[in-house]
């Protein structure tokens, strides 16, 4: 099969398209014929990309951990999936990813692909939509009627954070660049703040939840806008617990995990028209290195997708 691989640590310049053996699924795994895969621009900086959790070198490594495709084969212990099933899911970050014609994935990390969208659109969902779901539902336990601030409402996670929060019945406030206001409001934000001209910490207070995927100074200024007992969920770095205690908040940092049941719920939400995937640009697998390089510059909101097979283009 063809796969995009890096033999040495580094950035996109290390990526090469080459022929490699098709992987063999383990007993609890599925071999997926990849139709589309999404890239995360930061993944080439993650330690898990380059070595195992116990420090063993993983190169050559295949990036891209969001996949949509068709089951080609299943391991002996897999009973819920069969060859021919359309699936999508999140590949653990310490495994080879889906920038290839085939990938092996634990069955528990996959779910039935949303029926009403293409493989390209489905590949834009797993990491970002799961992250937003786990942040708002599992960690923040967001309730109907609560006020939630989503930093970077047109960002990779933010576009799903806004949609999920609105679907849960929350009052959604989003920060973003002014050019993205129409999109963020269309996704469900009731209020919009231009972070280039407005300081959210001077205009907001008493919020129930903040979802922060920006970090840095944005995270540092987020504690003060929450009410006592409010919840801060940060995706960029662990929170300052002293600041959280000072403002009497619950503050948590987490890393997204694959989850079959939540992927199923997300797929149902897409098919019901509650949630929609956001795709930035699509590149063929042969231009995978270019896709990573392109992502370094200004781009439209949404995920950059690698279309591995010709039938994966949006409908």
């Amino acid at each position: 099969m063809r796969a995009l691989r890096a033999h040495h640590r580094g950035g996109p310049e290390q990526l090469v398209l080459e022929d490699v053996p098709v992987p063999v699924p383990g007993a609890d795994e599925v071999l997926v014929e990849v139709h589309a895969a999404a890239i995360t621009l930061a993944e080439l900086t993650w330690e898990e990309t380059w070595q195992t959790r116990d420090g063993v070198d993983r190169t050559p490594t295949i990036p891209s951990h969001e996949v949509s495709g068709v089951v080609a084969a299943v391991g002996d212990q897999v009973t819920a999936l069969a060859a021919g099933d359309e699936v999508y899911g999140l590949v653990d970050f310490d495994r080879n990813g889906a920038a290839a014609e085939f990938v092996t994935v634990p069955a528990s990390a996959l779910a039935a692909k949303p029926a009403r969208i293409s493989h390209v659109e489905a590949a834009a969902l797993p990491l970002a939509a799961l992250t937003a779901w786990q942040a708002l539902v599992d960690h923040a336990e967001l309730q109907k009627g609560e006020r939630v601030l989503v930093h970077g409402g047109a960002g990779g996670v933010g576009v799903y954070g806004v949609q999920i929060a609105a679907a849960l019945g929350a009052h959604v406030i989003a920060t973003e660049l002014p050019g993205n206001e129409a999109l963020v409001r269309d996704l469900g934000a009731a209020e919009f703040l231009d972070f280039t001209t407005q300081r959210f910490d001077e205009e907001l207070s008493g919020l129930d939840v903040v979802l922060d995927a920006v970090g840095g100074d944005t995270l540092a200024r987020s504690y003060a806008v929450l009410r006592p007992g409010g919840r801060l969920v940060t995706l960029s770095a662990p929170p300052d617990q002293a600041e959280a205690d000072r403002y009497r908040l619950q503050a948590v940092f987490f890393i997204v995990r694959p989850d079959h049941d939540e992927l199923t719920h997300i797929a149902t939400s897409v098919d019901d028209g509650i949630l929609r995937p956001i795709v930035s640009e699509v590149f063929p697998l042969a231009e995978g290195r270019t896709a990573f390089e392109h992502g370094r510059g200004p781009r439209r909101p949404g995920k950059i997708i690698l279309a591995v097979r010709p039938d994966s283009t949006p409908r």
Side-chain angles (χ1 to χ4, degrees), residues 8-236:
H8 305 283
R9 282 183 181 247
E13 72 280 355
Q14 299 294 341
L15 296 170
V16 293
L17 187 69
E18 55 192 4
D19 291 330
V20 302
V22 175
V24 177
D28 63 346
E29 295 179 340
V30 173
L31 178 67
V32 177
E33 178 188 75
V34 180
H35 284 235
I39 68 174
T40 300
L41 298 174
E43 66 184 285
L44 298 181
T45 69
W46 297 345
E47 201 60 31
E48 297 91 338
T49 298
W50 305 106
Q51 66 178 32
T52 64
R53 292 170 185 172
D54 54 1
V56 178
D57 183 78
R58 288 190 58 238
T59 56
T61 184
I62 300 173
S64 188
H65 290 80
E66 296 167 277
V67 62
S68 184
V70 176
V71 174
V74 300
D76 294 340
Q77 297 177 8
V78 177
T79 58
L81 293 171
D85 290 347
E86 290 193 318
V87 294
Y88 83 125
L90 177 62
V91 184
D92 276 320
F93 305 128
D94 59 353
R95 298 174 61 102
N96 276 330
E101 293 179 324
F102 293 90
V103 63
T104 54
V105 189
S108 59
L110 297 168
K113 169 189 158 293
R116 66 181 292 177
I117 60 175
S118 69
H119 285 289
V120 158
E121 293 162 320
L125 291 164
L127 189 153
L130 266 180
T131 299
W133 179 267
Q134 291 172 11
L136 294 172
V137 177
D138 297 346
H139 293 286
E141 298 182 351
L142 183 65
Q143 302 298 309
K144 182 177 181 179
E146 290 192 314
R147 298 170 68 219
V148 56
L149 172 62
V150 177
H151 287 306
V157 174
V159 293
Y160 299 109
V162 170
Q163 292 183 77
I164 291 170
L168 291 171
H171 179 91
V172 184
I173 308 163
T175 62
E176 248 302 336
L177 290 167
N180 292 326
E181 179 175 2
L183 170 65
V184 171
R185 287 190 179 277
D186 187 53
L187 294 176
E191 297 183 51
F192 178 88
L193 294 177
D194 173 3
F195 70 72
T196 66
T197 61
Q198 297 173 280
R199 289 185 62 87
F200 68 89
D201 51 325
E202 295 178 355
E203 301 196 24
L204 301 172
S205 63
L207 301 181
D208 299 290
V209 174
V210 171
L211 173 56
D212 170 49
V214 178
D217 181 62
T218 297
L219 172 58
R221 292 189 285 124
S222 292
Y223 301 89
V225 304
L226 285 157
R227 63 169 174 81
R231 291 92 75 198
L232 169 63
V233 183
T234 174
L235 310 176
S236 57

Side-chain angles (χ1 to χ4, degrees), residues 226-258:
L226 285 157
R227 63 169 174 81
R231 291 92 75 198
L232 169 63
V233 183
T234 174
L235 310 176
S236 57
D240 184 330
Q241 197 56 53
E243 281 292 277
D245 292 343
R246 175 188 171 196
Y247 288 100
R248 293 180 288 161
L249 312 174
Q250 302 173 38
V252 63
F253 165 80
F254 79 100
I255 296 173
V256 64
R257 68 187 189 285

